[in-house]
Amino acid sequence: MDMVEHQHGYLHRKDDYLARLRRIEGQARGLQRMVEEEQYCIDILTQVSAMTKALQAVSLGLLDEHMHHCVADAARAGEAEGRAKIDEAVAAITRLVKS
């Protein structure tokens, strides 16, 4: 039986995701600096909100890639595989919504 190595759906946009995550990392450092400098609470909260929105955008992009590649590939492979990937995606979405 031939084993085909699965490529994650996001790989074609890997550089974009890495750039976004580096910007988010910079935002986190900026937040630390704001607290160290004892800046105004509302200004810090505004930056927390911006960072949260950026993380959500990465999450939604990865979820979209997962649904269009990993879940679709599993569904084509068979009903059991498809159901397992759907269950996995539902659990991930549940975690995202609760966070």
Side-chain angles (χ1 to χ4, degrees):
M1 182 167 150
D2 289 330
M3 293 291 291
V4 177
E5 186 175 326
H6 178 73
Q7 294 253 337
H8 299 294
Y10 66 85
L11 290 181
H12 70 284
R13 293 184 52 205
K14 180 180 174 181
D15 291 339
D16 177 50
Y17 284 114
L18 288 172
R20 288 174 179 227
L21 290 168
R22 281 192 280 282
R23 281 194 298 274
I24 292 167
E25 183 180 27
Q27 287 177 302
R29 283 192 302 273
L31 282 167
Q32 290 172 350
R33 193 169 36 258
M34 290 176 81
V35 171
E36 287 170 356
E37 295 171 358
E38 300 176 4
Q39 293 193 18
Y40 186 55
C41 302
I42 297 301
D43 293 340
I44 295 170
L45 290 170
T46 298
Q47 291 307 309
V48 168
S49 177
M51 186 174 163
T52 300
K53 188 173 181 178
L55 280 169
Q56 288 171 340
V58 169
S59 297
L60 289 174
L62 288 170
L63 180 60
D64 181 70
E65 301 287 352
H66 182 69
M67 297 299 290
H68 283 96
H69 296 278
C70 303
V71 174
D73 290 347
R76 282 189 289 273
E79 184 177 347
E81 294 90 342
R83 285 186 185 277
K85 285 293 181 186
I86 289 170
D87 290 344
E88 181 182 62
V90 167
I93 293 166
T94 301
R95 286 190 304 273
L96 286 171
V97 169
K98 287 182 178 180
S99 63

mmCIF file with all atom_site columns, all heavy atoms in Angstrom, residues 30-49:
data_model
loop_
_atom_site.group_PDB
_atom_site.id
_atom_site.type_symbol
_atom_site.label_atom_id
_atom_site.label_alt_id
_atom_site.label_comp_id
_atom_site.label_asym_id
_atom_site.label_entity_id
_atom_site.label_seq_id
_atom_site.pdbx_PDB_ins_code
_atom_site.Cartn_x
_atom_site.Cartn_y
_atom_site.Cartn_z
_atom_site.occupancy
_atom_site.B_iso_or_equiv
_atom_site.pdbx_formal_charge
_atom_site.auth_seq_id
_atom_site.auth_comp_id
_atom_site.auth_asym_id
_atom_site.auth_atom_id
_atom_site.pdbx_PDB_model_num
ATOM 1   N N   . GLY A 1 30 ? 4.917   44.782 22.709 1.00 0.00 ? 30 GLY A N   1
ATOM 2   C CA  . GLY A 1 30 ? 4.437   46.145 22.909 1.00 0.00 ? 30 GLY A CA  1
ATOM 3   C C   . GLY A 1 30 ? 3.525   46.259 24.127 1.00 0.00 ? 30 GLY A C   1
ATOM 4   O O   . GLY A 1 30 ? 3.601   47.220 24.889 1.00 0.00 ? 30 GLY A O   1
ATOM 5   N N   . LEU A 1 31 ? 2.669   45.246 24.310 1.00 0.00 ? 31 LEU A N   1
ATOM 6   C CA  . LEU A 1 31 ? 1.807   45.233 25.491 1.00 0.00 ? 31 LEU A CA  1
ATOM 7   C C   . LEU A 1 31 ? 2.621   45.144 26.779 1.00 0.00 ? 31 LEU A C   1
ATOM 8   O O   . LEU A 1 31 ? 2.328   45.845 27.756 1.00 0.00 ? 31 LEU A O   1
ATOM 9   C CB  . LEU A 1 31 ? 0.826   44.058 25.416 1.00 0.00 ? 31 LEU A CB  1
ATOM 10  C CG  . LEU A 1 31 ? -0.373  44.248 24.498 1.00 0.00 ? 31 LEU A CG  1
ATOM 11  C CD1 . LEU A 1 31 ? -1.083  42.933 24.258 1.00 0.00 ? 31 LEU A CD1 1
ATOM 12  C CD2 . LEU A 1 31 ? -1.316  45.275 25.100 1.00 0.00 ? 31 LEU A CD2 1
ATOM 13  N N   . GLN A 1 32 ? 3.640   44.298 26.774 1.00 0.00 ? 32 GLN A N   1
ATOM 14  C CA  . GLN A 1 32 ? 4.506   44.188 27.955 1.00 0.00 ? 32 GLN A CA  1
ATOM 15  C C   . GLN A 1 32 ? 5.144   45.537 28.260 1.00 0.00 ? 32 GLN A C   1
ATOM 16  O O   . GLN A 1 32 ? 5.183   45.978 29.415 1.00 0.00 ? 32 GLN A O   1
ATOM 17  C CB  . GLN A 1 32 ? 5.590   43.141 27.726 1.00 0.00 ? 32 GLN A CB  1
ATOM 18  C CG  . GLN A 1 32 ? 5.079   41.728 27.682 1.00 0.00 ? 32 GLN A CG  1
ATOM 19  C CD  . GLN A 1 32 ? 6.160   40.740 27.260 1.00 0.00 ? 32 GLN A CD  1
ATOM 20  O OE1 . GLN A 1 32 ? 7.246   41.117 26.830 1.00 0.00 ? 32 GLN A OE1 1
ATOM 21  N NE2 . GLN A 1 32 ? 5.852   39.461 27.368 1.00 0.00 ? 32 GLN A NE2 1
ATOM 22  N N   . ARG A 1 33 ? 5.627   46.193 27.223 1.00 0.00 ? 33 ARG A N   1
ATOM 23  C CA  . ARG A 1 33 ? 6.273   47.495 27.379 1.00 0.00 ? 33 ARG A CA  1
ATOM 24  C C   . ARG A 1 33 ? 5.277   48.528 27.930 1.00 0.00 ? 33 ARG A C   1
ATOM 25  O O   . ARG A 1 33 ? 5.616   49.333 28.804 1.00 0.00 ? 33 ARG A O   1
ATOM 26  C CB  . ARG A 1 33 ? 6.852   47.940 26.037 1.00 0.00 ? 33 ARG A CB  1
ATOM 27  C CG  . ARG A 1 33 ? 7.805   49.105 26.107 1.00 0.00 ? 33 ARG A CG  1
ATOM 28  C CD  . ARG A 1 33 ? 8.574   49.349 24.807 1.00 0.00 ? 33 ARG A CD  1
ATOM 29  N NE  . ARG A 1 33 ? 7.837   49.094 23.563 1.00 0.00 ? 33 ARG A NE  1
ATOM 30  C CZ  . ARG A 1 33 ? 7.985   48.000 22.800 1.00 0.00 ? 33 ARG A CZ  1
ATOM 31  N NH1 . ARG A 1 33 ? 8.841   47.051 23.123 1.00 0.00 ? 33 ARG A NH1 1
ATOM 32  N NH2 . ARG A 1 33 ? 7.290   47.857 21.686 1.00 0.00 ? 33 ARG A NH2 1
ATOM 33  N N   . MET A 1 34 ? 4.041   48.488 27.424 1.00 0.00 ? 34 MET A N   1
ATOM 34  C CA  . MET A 1 34 ? 3.026   49.425 27.904 1.00 0.00 ? 34 MET A CA  1
ATOM 35  C C   . MET A 1 34 ? 2.770   49.242 29.404 1.00 0.00 ? 34 MET A C   1
ATOM 36  O O   . MET A 1 34 ? 2.635   50.229 30.141 1.00 0.00 ? 34 MET A O   1
ATOM 37  C CB  . MET A 1 34 ? 1.718   49.248 27.120 1.00 0.00 ? 34 MET A CB  1
ATOM 38  C CG  . MET A 1 34 ? 1.792   49.715 25.678 1.00 0.00 ? 34 MET A CG  1
ATOM 39  S SD  . MET A 1 34 ? 0.268   49.390 24.781 1.00 0.00 ? 34 MET A SD  1
ATOM 40  C CE  . MET A 1 34 ? -0.717  50.799 25.320 1.00 0.00 ? 34 MET A CE  1
ATOM 41  N N   . VAL A 1 35 ? 2.704   47.991 29.856 1.00 0.00 ? 35 VAL A N   1
ATOM 42  C CA  . VAL A 1 35 ? 2.482   47.729 31.278 1.00 0.00 ? 35 VAL A CA  1
ATOM 43  C C   . VAL A 1 35 ? 3.702   48.169 32.081 1.00 0.00 ? 35 VAL A C   1
ATOM 44  O O   . VAL A 1 35 ? 3.567   48.819 33.130 1.00 0.00 ? 35 VAL A O   1
ATOM 45  C CB  . VAL A 1 35 ? 2.142   46.241 31.525 1.00 0.00 ? 35 VAL A CB  1
ATOM 46  C CG1 . VAL A 1 35 ? 2.126   45.930 33.021 1.00 0.00 ? 35 VAL A CG1 1
ATOM 47  C CG2 . VAL A 1 35 ? 0.805   45.884 30.877 1.00 0.00 ? 35 VAL A CG2 1
ATOM 48  N N   . GLU A 1 36 ? 4.897   47.831 31.577 1.00 0.00 ? 36 GLU A N   1
ATOM 49  C CA  . GLU A 1 36 ? 6.125   48.256 32.267 1.00 0.00 ? 36 GLU A CA  1
ATOM 50  C C   . GLU A 1 36 ? 6.177   49.773 32.421 1.00 0.00 ? 36 GLU A C   1
ATOM 51  O O   . GLU A 1 36 ? 6.612   50.293 33.451 1.00 0.00 ? 36 GLU A O   1
ATOM 52  C CB  . GLU A 1 36 ? 7.360   47.771 31.516 1.00 0.00 ? 36 GLU A CB  1
ATOM 53  C CG  . GLU A 1 36 ? 7.610   46.282 31.643 1.00 0.00 ? 36 GLU A CG  1
ATOM 54  C CD  . GLU A 1 36 ? 8.694   45.777 30.698 1.00 0.00 ? 36 GLU A CD  1
ATOM 55  O OE1 . GLU A 1 36 ? 9.222   46.562 29.881 1.00 0.00 ? 36 GLU A OE1 1
ATOM 56  O OE2 . GLU A 1 36 ? 9.008   44.574 30.784 1.00 0.00 ? 36 GLU A OE2 1
ATOM 57  N N   . GLU A 1 37 ? 5.716   50.481 31.393 1.00 0.00 ? 37 GLU A N   1
ATOM 58  C CA  . GLU A 1 37 ? 5.738   51.950 31.405 1.00 0.00 ? 37 GLU A CA  1
ATOM 59  C C   . GLU A 1 37 ? 4.506   52.550 32.090 1.00 0.00 ? 37 GLU A C   1
ATOM 60  O O   . GLU A 1 37 ? 4.335   53.766 32.101 1.00 0.00 ? 37 GLU A O   1
ATOM 61  C CB  . GLU A 1 37 ? 5.852   52.475 29.971 1.00 0.00 ? 37 GLU A CB  1
ATOM 62  C CG  . GLU A 1 37 ? 7.155   52.100 29.301 1.00 0.00 ? 37 GLU A CG  1
ATOM 63  C CD  . GLU A 1 37 ? 7.185   52.426 27.812 1.00 0.00 ? 37 GLU A CD  1
ATOM 64  O OE1 . GLU A 1 37 ? 6.155   52.928 27.277 1.00 0.00 ? 37 GLU A OE1 1
ATOM 65  O OE2 . GLU A 1 37 ? 8.225   52.173 27.178 1.00 0.00 ? 37 GLU A OE2 1
ATOM 66  N N   . GLU A 1 38 ? 3.663   51.666 32.634 1.00 0.00 ? 38 GLU A N   1
ATOM 67  C CA  . GLU A 1 38 ? 2.460   52.073 33.375 1.00 0.00 ? 38 GLU A CA  1
ATOM 68  C C   . GLU A 1 38 ? 1.563   52.997 32.565 1.00 0.00 ? 38 GLU A C   1
ATOM 69  O O   . GLU A 1 38 ? 1.069   54.025 33.053 1.00 0.00 ? 38 GLU A O   1
ATOM 70  C CB  . GLU A 1 38 ? 2.857   52.708 34.715 1.00 0.00 ? 38 GLU A CB  1
ATOM 71  C CG  . GLU A 1 38 ? 3.647   51.757 35.593 1.00 0.00 ? 38 GLU A CG  1
ATOM 72  C CD  . GLU A 1 38 ? 4.135   52.387 36.891 1.00 0.00 ? 38 GLU A CD  1
ATOM 73  O OE1 . GLU A 1 38 ? 3.802   53.559 37.177 1.00 0.00 ? 38 GLU A OE1 1
ATOM 74  O OE2 . GLU A 1 38 ? 4.862   51.688 37.614 1.00 0.00 ? 38 GLU A OE2 1
ATOM 75  N N   . GLN A 1 39 ? 1.322   52.617 31.324 1.00 0.00 ? 39 GLN A N   1
ATOM 76  C CA  . GLN A 1 39 ? 0.457   53.416 30.461 1.00 0.00 ? 39 GLN A CA  1
ATOM 77  C C   . GLN A 1 39 ? -1.008  53.255 30.861 1.00 0.00 ? 39 GLN A C   1
ATOM 78  O O   . GLN A 1 39 ? -1.378  52.360 31.620 1.00 0.00 ? 39 GLN A O   1
ATOM 79  C CB  . GLN A 1 39 ? 0.694   53.043 29.000 1.00 0.00 ? 39 GLN A CB  1
ATOM 80  C CG  . GLN A 1 39 ? 2.088   53.455 28.545 1.00 0.00 ? 39 GLN A CG  1
ATOM 81  C CD  . GLN A 1 39 ? 2.246   53.403 27.049 1.00 0.00 ? 39 GLN A CD  1
ATOM 82  O OE1 . GLN A 1 39 ? 1.276   53.383 26.303 1.00 0.00 ? 39 GLN A OE1 1
ATOM 83  N NE2 . GLN A 1 39 ? 3.490   53.397 26.589 1.00 0.00 ? 39 GLN A NE2 1
ATOM 84  N N   . TYR A 1 40 ? -1.837  54.102 30.307 1.00 0.00 ? 40 TYR A N   1
ATOM 85  C CA  . TYR A 1 40 ? -3.261  54.175 30.630 1.00 0.00 ? 40 TYR A CA  1
ATOM 86  C C   . TYR A 1 40 ? -3.961  52.846 30.300 1.00 0.00 ? 40 TYR A C   1
ATOM 87  O O   . TYR A 1 40 ? -3.746  52.253 29.238 1.00 0.00 ? 40 TYR A O   1
ATOM 88  C CB  . TYR A 1 40 ? -3.877  55.336 29.846 1.00 0.00 ? 40 TYR A CB  1
ATOM 89  C CG  . TYR A 1 40 ? -5.309  55.641 30.159 1.00 0.00 ? 40 TYR A CG  1
ATOM 90  C CD1 . TYR A 1 40 ? -5.716  55.903 31.460 1.00 0.00 ? 40 TYR A CD1 1
ATOM 91  C CD2 . TYR A 1 40 ? -6.256  55.702 29.149 1.00 0.00 ? 40 TYR A CD2 1
ATOM 92  C CE1 . TYR A 1 40 ? -7.038  56.200 31.746 1.00 0.00 ? 40 TYR A CE1 1
ATOM 93  C CE2 . TYR A 1 40 ? -7.580  56.003 29.416 1.00 0.00 ? 40 TYR A CE2 1
ATOM 94  C CZ  . TYR A 1 40 ? -7.964  56.252 30.732 1.00 0.00 ? 40 TYR A CZ  1
ATOM 95  O OH  . TYR A 1 40 ? -9.275  56.556 31.002 1.00 0.00 ? 40 TYR A OH  1
ATOM 96  N N   . CYS A 1 41 ? -4.809  52.397 31.233 1.00 0.00 ? 41 CYS A N   1
ATOM 97  C CA  . CYS A 1 41 ? -5.501  51.106 31.113 1.00 0.00 ? 41 CYS A CA  1
ATOM 98  C C   . CYS A 1 41 ? -6.235  50.942 29.778 1.00 0.00 ? 41 CYS A C   1
ATOM 99  O O   . CYS A 1 41 ? -6.144  49.900 29.132 1.00 0.00 ? 41 CYS A O   1
ATOM 100 C CB  . CYS A 1 41 ? -6.507  50.930 32.246 1.00 0.00 ? 41 CYS A CB  1
ATOM 101 S SG  . CYS A 1 41 ? -5.820  51.012 33.885 1.00 0.00 ? 41 CYS A SG  1
ATOM 102 N N   . ILE A 1 42 ? -6.976  51.962 29.392 1.00 0.00 ? 42 ILE A N   1
ATOM 103 C CA  . ILE A 1 42 ? -7.778  51.876 28.168 1.00 0.00 ? 42 ILE A CA  1
ATOM 104 C C   . ILE A 1 42 ? -6.881  51.722 26.943 1.00 0.00 ? 42 ILE A C   1
ATOM 105 O O   . ILE A 1 42 ? -7.215  50.976 26.011 1.00 0.00 ? 42 ILE A O   1
ATOM 106 C CB  . ILE A 1 42 ? -8.721  53.099 28.040 1.00 0.00 ? 42 ILE A CB  1
ATOM 107 C CG1 . ILE A 1 42 ? -9.722  53.126 29.192 1.00 0.00 ? 42 ILE A CG1 1
ATOM 108 C CG2 . ILE A 1 42 ? -9.434  53.096 26.686 1.00 0.00 ? 42 ILE A CG2 1
ATOM 109 C CD1 . ILE A 1 42 ? -10.606 51.879 29.303 1.00 0.00 ? 42 ILE A CD1 1
ATOM 110 N N   . ASP A 1 43 ? -5.739  52.370 26.929 1.00 0.00 ? 43 ASP A N   1
ATOM 111 C CA  . ASP A 1 43 ? -4.798  52.216 25.814 1.00 0.00 ? 43 ASP A CA  1
ATOM 112 C C   . ASP A 1 43 ? -4.284  50.782 25.738 1.00 0.00 ? 43 ASP A C   1
ATOM 113 O O   . ASP A 1 43 ? -4.159  50.211 24.645 1.00 0.00 ? 43 ASP A O   1
ATOM 114 C CB  . ASP A 1 43 ? -3.622  53.192 25.958 1.00 0.00 ? 43 ASP A CB  1
ATOM 115 C CG  . ASP A 1 43 ? -4.057  54.644 25.809 1.00 0.00 ? 43 ASP A CG  1
ATOM 116 O OD1 . ASP A 1 43 ? -5.145  54.888 25.236 1.00 0.00 ? 43 ASP A OD1 1
ATOM 117 O OD2 . ASP A 1 43 ? -3.314  55.526 26.274 1.00 0.00 ? 43 ASP A OD2 1
ATOM 118 N N   . ILE A 1 44 ? -4.011  50.194 26.887 1.00 0.00 ? 44 ILE A N   1
ATOM 119 C CA  . ILE A 1 44 ? -3.545  48.801 26.922 1.00 0.00 ? 44 ILE A CA  1
ATOM 120 C C   . ILE A 1 44 ? -4.653  47.872 26.438 1.00 0.00 ? 44 ILE A C   1
ATOM 121 O O   . ILE A 1 44 ? -4.420  46.979 25.620 1.00 0.00 ? 44 ILE A O   1
ATOM 122 C CB  . ILE A 1 44 ? -3.062  48.420 28.338 1.00 0.00 ? 44 ILE A CB  1
ATOM 123 C CG1 . ILE A 1 44 ? -1.828  49.250 28.722 1.00 0.00 ? 44 ILE A CG1 1
ATOM 124 C CG2 . ILE A 1 44 ? -2.751  46.919 28.411 1.00 0.00 ? 44 ILE A CG2 1
ATOM 125 C CD1 . ILE A 1 44 ? -1.426  49.131 30.185 1.00 0.00 ? 44 ILE A CD1 1
ATOM 126 N N   . LEU A 1 45 ? -5.866  48.104 26.932 1.00 0.00 ? 45 LEU A N   1
ATOM 127 C CA  . LEU A 1 45 ? -7.006  47.272 26.511 1.00 0.00 ? 45 LEU A CA  1
ATOM 128 C C   . LEU A 1 45 ? -7.260  47.380 25.018 1.00 0.00 ? 45 LEU A C   1
ATOM 129 O O   . LEU A 1 45 ? -7.626  46.395 24.362 1.00 0.00 ? 45 LEU A O   1
ATOM 130 C CB  . LEU A 1 45 ? -8.251  47.644 27.302 1.00 0.00 ? 45 LEU A CB  1
ATOM 131 C CG  . LEU A 1 45 ? -8.233  47.257 28.784 1.00 0.00 ? 45 LEU A CG  1
ATOM 132 C CD1 . LEU A 1 45 ? -9.408  47.879 29.512 1.00 0.00 ? 45 LEU A CD1 1
ATOM 133 C CD2 . LEU A 1 45 ? -8.207  45.749 28.942 1.00 0.00 ? 45 LEU A CD2 1
ATOM 134 N N   . THR A 1 46 ? -7.070  48.555 24.462 1.00 0.00 ? 46 THR A N   1
ATOM 135 C CA  . THR A 1 46 ? -7.231  48.746 23.010 1.00 0.00 ? 46 THR A CA  1
ATOM 136 C C   . THR A 1 46 ? -6.227  47.875 22.253 1.00 0.00 ? 46 THR A C   1
ATOM 137 O O   . THR A 1 46 ? -6.576  47.236 21.250 1.00 0.00 ? 46 THR A O   1
ATOM 138 C CB  . THR A 1 46 ? -7.056  50.234 22.647 1.00 0.00 ? 46 THR A CB  1
ATOM 139 O OG1 . THR A 1 46 ? -8.073  50.977 23.317 1.00 0.00 ? 46 THR A OG1 1
ATOM 140 C CG2 . THR A 1 46 ? -7.167  50.450 21.147 1.00 0.00 ? 46 THR A CG2 1
ATOM 141 N N   . GLN A 1 47 ? -5.007  47.825 22.741 1.00 0.00 ? 47 GLN A N   1
ATOM 142 C CA  . GLN A 1 47 ? -3.982  46.999 22.094 1.00 0.00 ? 47 GLN A CA  1
ATOM 143 C C   . GLN A 1 47 ? -4.250  45.507 22.295 1.00 0.00 ? 47 GLN A C   1
ATOM 144 O O   . GLN A 1 47 ? -3.986  44.706 21.408 1.00 0.00 ? 47 GLN A O   1
ATOM 145 C CB  . GLN A 1 47 ? -2.588  47.378 22.610 1.00 0.00 ? 47 GLN A CB  1
ATOM 146 C CG  . GLN A 1 47 ? -2.141  48.752 22.161 1.00 0.00 ? 47 GLN A CG  1
ATOM 147 C CD  . GLN A 1 47 ? -2.231  48.916 20.654 1.00 0.00 ? 47 GLN A CD  1
ATOM 148 O OE1 . GLN A 1 47 ? -1.742  48.098 19.885 1.00 0.00 ? 47 GLN A OE1 1
ATOM 149 N NE2 . GLN A 1 47 ? -2.880  49.979 20.217 1.00 0.00 ? 47 GLN A NE2 1
ATOM 150 N N   . VAL A 1 48 ? -4.775  45.134 23.458 1.00 0.00 ? 48 VAL A N   1
ATOM 151 C CA  . VAL A 1 48 ? -5.170  43.732 23.688 1.00 0.00 ? 48 VAL A CA  1
ATOM 152 C C   . VAL A 1 48 ? -6.246  43.340 22.684 1.00 0.00 ? 48 VAL A C   1
ATOM 153 O O   . VAL A 1 48 ? -6.198  42.256 22.080 1.00 0.00 ? 48 VAL A O   1
ATOM 154 C CB  . VAL A 1 48 ? -5.662  43.512 25.139 1.00 0.00 ? 48 VAL A CB  1
ATOM 155 C CG1 . VAL A 1 48 ? -6.338  42.150 25.289 1.00 0.00 ? 48 VAL A CG1 1
ATOM 156 C CG2 . VAL A 1 48 ? -4.516  43.647 26.122 1.00 0.00 ? 48 VAL A CG2 1
ATOM 157 N N   . SER A 1 49 ? -7.194  44.231 22.463 1.00 0.00 ? 49 SER A N   1
ATOM 158 C CA  . SER A 1 49 ? -8.260  43.965 21.504 1.00 0.00 ? 49 SER A CA  1
ATOM 159 C C   . SER A 1 49 ? -7.704  43.782 20.090 1.00 0.00 ? 49 SER A C   1
ATOM 160 O O   . SER A 1 49 ? -8.115  42.875 19.357 1.00 0.00 ? 49 SER A O   1
ATOM 161 C CB  . SER A 1 49 ? -9.272  45.116 21.533 1.00 0.00 ? 49 SER A CB  1
ATOM 162 O OG  . SER A 1 49 ? -10.269 44.910 20.564 1.00 0.00 ? 49 SER A OG  1
#
